[in-house]
């Protein structure tokens, strides 16, 4: 009997990320999301089973690449795309059915890295066997290295950003406890939750989108008074109406946006279409090497172009991180200044 699964529009809301790679948004989600709904409704498949399916199809793709002939390369490219569709479906199914697990996330990550390694060896090895050109052996090493670099760099940047946010939150909690200041929100979180907003170009528009802190039990001086019923005396008594306080907004990307205002407009456009600003990430790099290159029988050219573009965007992210650390230092210094001059300084002033 079919399970009770929401309509497709609701499944899209639940399973599709607010921001994703342009390849996923344009070429995978339109197929993967309906398939996930069908899978959840008519089968008992689990996310881990889909992960295994993606891995096995990826190995089939590698077997095709190893043949070297263009017709086999084309079949390998098709299988690689099917493998990636399954790879996206496992996370969607986990979100839709609530059956995700920590082990499943680990399995998905490890299988992805193995698939890239095996396919790069098979693709370049097949071309080397066909041409005896040692360049393909170097390309195999380059593909595996760039894939590892992308995900190692991504993990380290995440850890650094998490550490910066953790320190700022700790300082804000201490200041709030001492001076009863507002809650803390990060600009990047507001942007993530509201991808349609042009917050970078007009900081005044942040206010309507800021999360509201929990209401205080006692209102601040000057809070409006409303009539209520005293439960004990049974008489009308004035009741304080608490006023919600907006959080202090910390923006760790101020300097980057100030230096590259044109990128802000591009980012806003991409965000409104669910596309993340990192246009050439690990996903697009893989698709260039294992789908576009084999399909066009232009393995060397597409691998070189994909690798160069990946490096360019990685360097841009590292540069953005550098500017973000400067914003972090200024924010931390503002707390120290506020301790000495509490009446004149605010966060990110």
């Amino acid at each position: 009997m079919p399970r009770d699964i929401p309509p497709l529009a609701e499944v899209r809301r639940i399973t599709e990320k607010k921001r994703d790679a342009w390849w996923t948004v344009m070429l995978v989600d339109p197929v993967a999301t309906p398939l996930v709904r069908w899978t959840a409704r008519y089968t008992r498949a689990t996310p881990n089973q889909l992960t295994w399916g993606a891995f096995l199809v990826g190995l089939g793709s590698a077997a095709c690449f190893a043949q070297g002939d263009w017709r086999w390369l084309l079949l390998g490219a098709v299988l690689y795309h099917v493998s990636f569709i399954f790879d996206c479906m496992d996370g969607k199914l986990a979100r839709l059915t609530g059956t995700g697990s920590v082990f499943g996330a680990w399995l998905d990550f490890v299988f992805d890295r193995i698939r890239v390694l095996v396919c790069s060896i098979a693709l370049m090895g097949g071309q080397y066997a066909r041409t005896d050109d040692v360049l393909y052996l170097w390309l195999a090493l380059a593909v595996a290295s760039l894939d590892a670099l992308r995900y190692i760099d991504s993990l380290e940047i995440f850890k650094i950003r998490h550490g910066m946010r953790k320190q700022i939150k700790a300082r804000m909690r201490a200041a709030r406890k001492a001076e009863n200041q507002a809650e803390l929100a990060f600009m990047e979180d507001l942007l993530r939750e509201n991808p349609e907003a042009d917050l970078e170009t007009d900081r005044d528009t942040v206010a309507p989108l800021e999360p509201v802190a929990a209401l205080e039990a006692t209102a601040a001086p000057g809070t409006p008074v409303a009539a209520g019923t005293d439960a004990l005396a049974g008489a009308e008594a004035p009741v304080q109406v608490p006023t919600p306080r907006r959080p202090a907004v910390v923006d760790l990307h101020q300097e980057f946006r100030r230096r590259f205002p044109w990128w802000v407009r591009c980012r806003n456009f991409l965000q409104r279409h669910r596309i993340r600003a990192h246009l050439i990430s690990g996903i697009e790099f893989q698709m260039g090497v294992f789908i576009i290159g084999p399909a066009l029988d232009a393995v060397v050219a597409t691998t070189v172009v994909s690798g160069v573009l990946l490096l360019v965007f990685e360097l841009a992210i590292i540069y953005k991180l550098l500017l973000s650390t400067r914003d972090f230092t200024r924010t931390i210094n503002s707390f120290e200044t506020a301790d000495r001059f509490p009446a004149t300084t605010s966060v990110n002033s």
Side-chain angles (χ1 to χ4, degrees):
M1 173 179 288
R3 286 192 286 184
D4 186 18
I5 300 297
L8 182 58
E10 180 66 11
V11 173
R12 292 188 188 279
R13 186 191 67 80
I14 296 172
T15 64
E16 294 181 354
K17 298 177 182 177
K18 289 188 175 182
R19 292 186 302 174
D20 214 334
W22 64 264
W23 186 282
T24 303
V25 172
M26 299 173 65
L27 300 175
V28 176
D29 281 350
V31 177
T33 306
L35 282 178
V36 163
R37 183 177 185 273
W38 184 91
T39 301
R41 189 175 185 186
Y42 295 106
T43 75
R44 297 293 174 180
T46 66
N48 285 353
Q49 289 173 344
L50 290 181
T51 303
W52 273 99
F55 180 64
L56 294 176
V57 174
L59 293 183
S61 174
C64 294
F65 289 150
Q67 306 306 309
D69 182 76
W70 177 74
R71 289 169 294 183
W72 284 105
L73 291 182
L74 181 60
L75 179 58
V78 172
L79 288 178
Y80 197 91
H81 188 62
V82 172
S83 172
F84 187 67
I85 289 175
F86 282 147
D87 189 33
C88 291
M89 287 176 61
D90 58 6
K92 295 180 186 296
L93 184 64
R95 289 188 288 273
L96 180 61
T97 60
T99 54
S101 66
V102 175
F103 178 77
W106 174 85
L107 189 70
D108 182 48
F109 179 82
V110 171
F111 277 2
D112 284 350
R113 306 285 65 75
I114 295 176
R115 179 180 59 189
V116 171
L117 178 61
V118 172
C119 284
S120 63
I121 293 174
L123 175 62
M124 303 307 173
Q127 295 305 297
Y128 173 72
R130 190 179 73 167
T131 64
D132 286 328
D133 189 346
V134 72
L135 173 63
Y136 288 103
L137 300 182
W138 287 107
L139 287 178
L141 178 62
V143 170
S145 300
L146 287 173
D147 180 74
L149 171 66
R150 164 65 193 133
Y151 286 94
I152 291 173
D153 187 43
S154 175
L155 177 61
E156 288 303 311
I157 288 177
F158 172 81
K159 289 167 60 177
I160 291 173
R161 287 177 173 170
H162 177 74
M164 292 191 299
R165 290 163 63 101
K166 187 175 181 180
Q167 289 188 54
I168 291 174
K169 287 180 179 179
R171 297 299 298 268
M172 176 59 80
R173 280 196 297 269
R176 190 171 64 244
K177 183 177 181 181
E179 303 177 18
N180 196 30
Q181 293 185 7
E183 296 290 334
L184 174 66
F186 287 93
M187 175 70 81
E188 57 191 293
D189 292 338
L190 302 178
L191 295 173
R192 187 178 297 112
E193 294 302 319
N194 301 275
E196 73 285 355
D198 295 337
L199 301 187
E200 296 98 329
T201 57
D202 184 5
R203 282 187 65 89
D204 292 339
T205 62
V206 173
L209 298 172
E210 290 173 353
V212 178
L215 299 180
E216 300 290 340
T218 304
T223 301
V225 176
T229 302
D230 188 328
L232 297 177
E236 294 292 326
V239 176
Q240 297 284 355
V241 177
T243 302
R245 295 181 349 228
R246 292 173 181 160
V249 178
V250 175
D251 187 358
L252 293 180
H253 300 291
Q254 289 184 86
E255 188 168 343
F256 180 83
R257 282 190 276 267
R258 187 165 55 247
R259 293 192 180 201
F260 304 99
W262 56 268
W263 178 243
V264 172
R265 294 187 290 273
C266 294
R267 182 188 183 280
N268 289 336
F269 174 80
L270 294 172
Q271 289 279 77
R272 287 191 288 269
H273 293 82
R274 291 184 50 235
I275 298 174
R276 65 189 178 197
H278 190 186
L279 293 177
I280 307 297
S281 65
I283 292 175
E284 290 81 11
F285 173 68
Q286 291 179 44
M287 303 312 145
V289 174
F290 300 123
I291 295 181
I292 298 176
L296 298 179
D297 197 16
V299 173
V300 173
T302 54
T303 300
V304 171
V305 170
S306 299
V308 169
L309 289 175
L310 178 68
L311 283 175
V312 168
F313 272 85
E314 286 304 305
L315 290 174
I317 287 179
I318 293 172
Y319 179 64
K320 186 178 180 181
L321 176 66
L322 172 63
L323 298 183
S324 180
T325 59
R326 294 176 181 175
D327 287 323
F328 166 75
T329 301
R330 282 191 290 268
T331 301
I332 291 297
N333 290 340
S334 73
F335 283 106
E336 297 175 357
T337 305
D339 291 339
R340 294 192 297 269
F341 308 102
T344 60
T345 305
S346 61
V347 177
N348 273 353
S349 58

